[in-house]
């Protein structure tokens, strides 16, 4: 069974550059199966999933690790054709139909708009046990409540490393961070183990 979608740092960067969809919207599309699997390279655990973006009125391919659920990158169709293979018009139209036929995800009704982004670090302790610690609470205002803007801040990585160090978390043992909009927001996980340039 496939894990829930989470994202590599590279994928977050590409989402910001290539689509109007948020990472939360892409995760919902992937987790709900609103995609068409166009295949995978032999010997790799990465599937190539075409999906429709209603905000861009366009199609993209998410390359996702089927074991961890990590989205390695998001590619426009022309990039995908150059790097892997072409996606048929039939697969694109199926992806669009699947998306449009699906019921809209019900958004939670919040009593108050969250004032902070909550960032936690996921790491392994000295005994190899997985632990999670709160690293930062960052005001939402300067980022217009937009997770993409927060993650695009060039100083964020330094702040995370500084906080991890202050909390005695060896940075080399930290394998992911999760970011929530407020205390009760759904966490978006960034897998720190993947490096990609596509």
């Amino acid at each position: 069974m496939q894990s829930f979608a989470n994202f590599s740092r590279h994928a977050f960067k590409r989402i910001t550059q290539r689509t109007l969809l948020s990472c939360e919207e892409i995760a919902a599309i992937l987790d709900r199966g609103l995609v068409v699997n166009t295949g995978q390279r032999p010997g790799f655990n990465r599937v190539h999933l075409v999906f429709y973006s209603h905000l861009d009125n366009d199609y993209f391919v998410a390359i996702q690790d089927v074991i961890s659920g990590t989205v390695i990158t998001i590619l426009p169709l022309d990039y995908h054709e150059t790097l892997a293979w072409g996606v048929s018009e039939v697969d694109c139209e199926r992806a669009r139909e699947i998306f449009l036929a699906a019921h809209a995800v019900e958004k939670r009704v919040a009593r108050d708009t969250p004032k902070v982004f909550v960032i936690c670090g996921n790491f392994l302790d000295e005994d190899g046990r997985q632990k999670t610690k709160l690293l930062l609470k960052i005001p939402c205002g300067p980022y217009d409540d937009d997770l993409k803007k927060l993650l695009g801040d060039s100083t964020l990585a330094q702040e995370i490393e500084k906080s991890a160090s202050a909390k005695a978390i060896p940075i080399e043992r930290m394998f992911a961070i999760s970011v929530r909009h407020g205390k009760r927001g759904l966490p978006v996980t960034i897998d720190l183990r993947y490096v990609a340039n596509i």
Side-chain angles (χ1 to χ4, degrees):
M1 183 175 161
Q2 185 169 315
S3 299
F4 289 110
N6 59 82
F7 299 89
S8 68
R9 282 187 271 189
H10 173 80
F12 268 113
K13 184 176 179 184
R14 293 300 182 241
I15 288 167
T16 301
Q17 294 170 340
R18 296 175 176 164
T19 177
L20 297 172
L21 291 173
S22 69
C23 50
E24 296 97 333
E25 290 167 316
I26 292 173
I29 288 169
L30 297 174
D31 291 343
R32 294 176 67 203
L34 307 180
V35 298
V36 173
N37 186 338
T38 66
Q40 66 189 80
R41 291 188 187 272
F44 289 91
N45 292 326
R46 297 176 180 178
V47 290
H48 295 233
L49 306 168
V50 65
F51 65 92
Y52 174 70
S53 165
H54 65 293
L55 295 180
D56 300 287
N57 193 27
D58 206 352
Y59 304 92
F60 297 89
V61 177
I63 300 178
Q64 185 176 31
D65 185 302
V66 294
I67 296 170
S68 68
T70 302
V71 176
I72 310 304
T73 194
I74 300 290
L75 299 172
L77 294 182
D78 57 341
Y79 279 38
H80 189 266
E81 185 170 7
T82 301
L83 297 170
W85 55 82
V87 176
S88 72
E89 285 183 35
V90 171
D91 282 347
C92 288
E93 190 53 37
R94 275 187 52 220
R96 184 175 184 276
E97 288 170 3
I98 289 167
F99 177 83
L100 294 176
H103 297 287
V105 176
E106 288 184 35
K107 293 191 175 187
R108 291 189 201 179
V109 178
R111 291 182 187 158
D112 296 316
T113 304
K115 305 279 190 266
V116 294
F117 288 110
V118 179
I119 301 176
C120 294
N122 302 319
F123 63 98
L124 298 175
D125 69 8
E126 299 79 25
D127 299 320
R129 292 179 298 216
Q130 184 174 319
K131 302 278 185 171
T132 300
K133 269 192 184 176
L134 173 68
L135 295 178
L136 297 168
K137 288 185 179 180
I138 299 175
C140 296
Y143 301 99
D144 301 321
D145 292 319
D146 187 341
L147 185 59
K148 278 186 183 180
K149 288 182 181 177
L150 171 70
L151 294 171
D153 186 338
S154 59
T155 64
L156 183 62
Q158 295 169 338
E159 292 301 315
I160 288 171
E161 285 186 26
K162 194 187 312 180
S163 178
S165 178
K167 294 179 186 250
I169 303 170
I171 197 70
E172 66 275 5
R173 290 182 182 259
M174 202 157 63
F175 60 87
I177 61 168
S178 61
V179 185
R180 289 189 322 255
H181 193 193
K183 209 177 204 181
R184 295 186 180 95
L186 294 174
V188 173
T189 303
I190 304 171
D191 191 323
L192 302 176
R193 298 170 292 186
Y194 284 91
V195 177
N197 294 317
I198 53 177

